Amino acid sequence: MSTHTLFRVVPTDSQAPTTPALALPLVEVDAIAKHYLLGRSLSVKSVDGVSFTIGKGEVLGLVGESGCGKSTIARVMTRQTSLTSGRIKIAGQEIAALDRQELKDLRRTVQLVFQDPFSALDPRMPIGASMEAPLAQHRIGTRDERRQKVVRMLVEVGLDETFYQRYPRQCSGGQLQRIVIGRALLLEPSFLICDEPTSALDASMRTQILNLLTDLKRSHGLTMLMISHDLRVVRHICDRIAVMYLGRIVEIADRDALFKTPRHPYTKALIAASMLDRTGLYAPEIQLRGDLPSPLNPPRGCRFHTRCAHAQAKCSQAEPEFEAVGDSHDVRCHFWRELQSERPGEQCSAHNTKSRIN
Ligand code: SF4
């Protein structure tokens, strides 16, 4: 049994993954929903009944097309926006119940790394001052100690002391993302959320940042949520992967199981698309019919049925529940058994998985 499996718990709602569990996780997300009201009667169901757990030291990947609700999950987990329903606990604390001081503490222990490092840094401030600011805000160390910490972190993320005096405009996108990651780690977070951390970077920078995150995961024992539209990104760093479609998780499994034996037709399409793409560009439309339906009016029954090549009458009438299909592997599809022989991701076996991208 893999280490992170030790932290799985039995979800409490009927829509949640059913995999058995053995110990308390660091992060518990239980049947959360986030609906945005548009006018009096319309609401966008950005996230609609999502549950998962993340064990200490585990990296969970959240993958799906743009607009499926991934980034909304990052925002509700840091209380940048409130939940419509459901519950999120981090280190045993329900985040909706935190008072002002506790929320400040949460924002120290839960750090976010976003897609665009340019907008994360003040262009008028030298890098050193930008990195020291959160330490000063949380009253950590003296001025000298903060400076030493920042210089050590610059080296740890693959830069050097000269960056302390530089301005953001004097750095490349990859260097800035290293700085943003380093700034997040200075606060020694117990949980790091990375929301598309490499999608603003070119292919070689993307590779370097993924390798850096992989190294930092090992050296700091990081617990992470890695959000990406790109399966190749989550494959290289995550222990477990959840596939999202239109506000819901449709499949969740250990990384190797997901790539070796994907069960949901949507997961299979994403894997096939990422394998077909030789250019470095991600192209799920190669395998998927039509566009992602509007979350304003999600399809009845299985939300994927309007694009699924295997849809049958039942699919438009009844929403599939999560079913355990193997150890630490759950799927939401009425016909996963019948579709077991359809494996566009078969060639992506776990044996091909590398820990680093070169
Ligand atoms: Fe396709 Fe039906 Fe399965 Fe949905 S439930 S993924 S429509 S086969």
Side-chain angles (χ1 to χ4, degrees), residues 250 263-266 301-316 318-320 331-336 339:
V250 296
R263 296 301 187 206
H264 198 282
Y266 181 58
C302 171
R303 293 181 179 206
F304 187 55
H305 84 260
T306 55
R307 301 170 82 190
C308 181
H310 307 286
Q312 301 182 36
K314 182 180 181 183
C315 303
S316 58
E319 176 151 23
V331 71
R332 199 190 278 276
C333 171
H334 293 305
F335 298 108
W336 69 267
L339 299 174

Side-chain angles (χ1 to χ4, degrees), residues 133-206:
L135 292 171
Q137 196 186 346
H138 290 280
R139 298 170 195 237
I140 297 171
T142 63
R143 185 173 281 190
D144 267 0
E145 286 166 345
R146 291 198 286 268
R147 184 190 165 97
Q148 285 166 21
K149 257 178 169 278
V150 166
V151 169
R152 278 200 300 272
M153 185 55 74
L154 282 169
V155 173
E156 188 172 357
V157 296
L159 302 171
D160 60 49
E161 195 170 353
T162 64
F163 282 81
Y164 189 90
Q165 298 293 355
R166 291 195 202 181
Y167 285 84
R169 65 177 180 277
Q170 297 171 304
C171 305
S172 69
Q175 288 167 340
L176 289 177
Q177 197 60 298
R178 287 173 188 270
I179 289 160
V180 171
I181 291 167
R183 185 176 64 174
L185 293 184
L186 278 169
L187 290 170
E188 298 174 14
S190 56
F191 181 41
L192 184 67
I193 301 175
C194 295
D195 188 359
E196 302 277 9
T198 59
S199 53
L201 306 176
D202 64 32
S204 76
M205 288 294 177
R206 186 168 61 216

